[in-house]
């Protein structure tokens, strides 16, 4: 029996052989400073989707979470974390790496948005963010703070999953905390209950990678 590649002719056969070679994996986009919506939620044509809205450049770019690494530099390191019980979610060593809820030079200003979720589509006009898993060297948290009082939204240290209900049309920034340097992978799923049918739709699990530096 003649080889299928020989039947194709020399040019087509060469192209077919090249197709058998796996293409190299796409390099991750590393985001280091500026505005970014870690969870950029969209609902269209019956699908609930989650992207990263990269606003660190002159033009906003939507990226797949799997193609992005969020870098947390040494400048995000705090060595004076309060020792009161209210702050224990940041660990007990007095040191944490924090991307702040207010914009700061040289750091990512990280948040989320549901501005592309139309009003009235989901029950109670909201969707739910669920943190289902975190892998990494220590604890991961997301919180807001008013003065010296934190409000913890997600905390891998007290058991998962954690769920946060978010209104449609929202755009929010928060503090993103890491208890030690290293690489973290946080898995989020976004769900909503349709007002029209009562059916729950899901984005499926999406993984987000954070690289926390100590030097």
């Amino acid at each position: 029996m003649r080889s299928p590649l020989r039947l194709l002719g020399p040019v087509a056969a060469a192209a077919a052989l090249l197709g058998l070679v796996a293409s190299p994996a796409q390099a991750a986009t590393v985001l280091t400073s500026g505005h970014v919506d870690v969870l950029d939620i969209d609902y269209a044509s019956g699908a609930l989707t989650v992207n990263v809205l990269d606003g660190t450049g002159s033009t906003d770019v939507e990226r797949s979470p799997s193609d992005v690494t969020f870098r947390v530099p040494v400048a995000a390191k705090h060595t004076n974390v309060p020792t009161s019980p209210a702050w224990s979610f940041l660990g007990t060593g007095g040191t944490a790496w924090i991307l702040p809820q207010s914009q700061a030079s040289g750091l990512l200003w990280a948040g989320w948005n549901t501005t592309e979720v139309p009003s009235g589509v989901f029950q109670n006009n909201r969707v739910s963010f669920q943190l289902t898993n975190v892998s990494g060297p220590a604890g991961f948290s997301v919180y807001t703070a008013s003065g010296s009082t934190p409000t913890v939204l997600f905390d891998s240290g007290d058991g998962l999953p954690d769920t946060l209900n978010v209104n449609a049309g929202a755009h929010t920034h928060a503090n993103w905390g890491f208890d030690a340097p290293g690489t973290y992978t946080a898995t989020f799923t976004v769900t909503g209950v349709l007002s029209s049918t009562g059916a729950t739709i899901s984005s499926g699990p999406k993984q987000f990678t954070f690289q926390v530096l100590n030097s």
Side-chain angles (χ1 to χ4, degrees):
M1 181 176 178
R2 298 173 66 184
S3 165
L5 291 179
R6 291 183 63 187
L7 292 173
L8 290 173
V11 175
L17 283 171
L18 289 173
L20 297 176
V21 179
S23 58
Q26 182 178 356
T29 297
V30 179
L31 302 182
T32 59
S33 66
H35 179 272
V36 61
D37 288 330
V38 177
L39 295 103
D40 173 33
I41 315 305
D42 186 14
Y43 176 80
S45 303
L48 192 60
T49 58
V50 179
N51 290 301
V52 173
L53 186 62
D54 173 7
T56 62
S58 57
T59 303
D60 289 351
V61 179
E62 283 193 347
R63 303 187 187 277
S64 170
S66 62
D67 294 338
V68 175
T69 294
F70 304 95
R71 182 164 291 168
V72 184
V74 177
K77 185 176 181 178
H78 292 251
T79 57
N80 57 348
V81 175
T83 57
S84 62
W87 291 91
S88 62
F89 64 92
L90 286 176
T92 58
T95 299
W97 285 250
I98 302 168
L99 296 178
Q101 71 184 65
S102 298
Q103 191 168 14
S105 176
L107 298 176
L108 286 172
W109 187 28
W112 56 81
N113 84 76
T114 56
T115 57
E116 294 184 8
V117 176
S119 178
V121 170
F122 294 105
Q123 288 184 6
N124 300 314
N125 203 35
R126 67 189 187 191
V127 294
S128 294
F129 294 180
Q130 188 173 66
L131 177 64
T132 59
N133 186 66
V134 173
S135 65
F140 164 79
S141 59
V142 182
Y143 66 99
T144 58
S146 176
S148 61
T149 303
T151 299
V152 181
L153 307 178
F154 302 100
D155 179 15
S156 69
D158 64 357
L160 296 175
D162 284 347
T163 300
L164 176 69
N165 293 319
V166 179
N167 289 335
H171 182 201
T172 301
H173 286 269
N175 302 285
W176 301 68
F178 307 85
D179 296 359
T183 299
Y184 295 73
T185 301
T187 303
F188 284 91
T189 300
V190 179
T191 61
V193 180
L194 291 172
S195 298
S196 57
T197 64
T200 298
I201 61 172
S202 173
S203 66
K206 304 295 179 182
Q207 292 186 331
F208 300 82
T209 301
F210 299 84
Q211 183 184 47
V212 182
L213 304 182
N214 199 31
S215 61

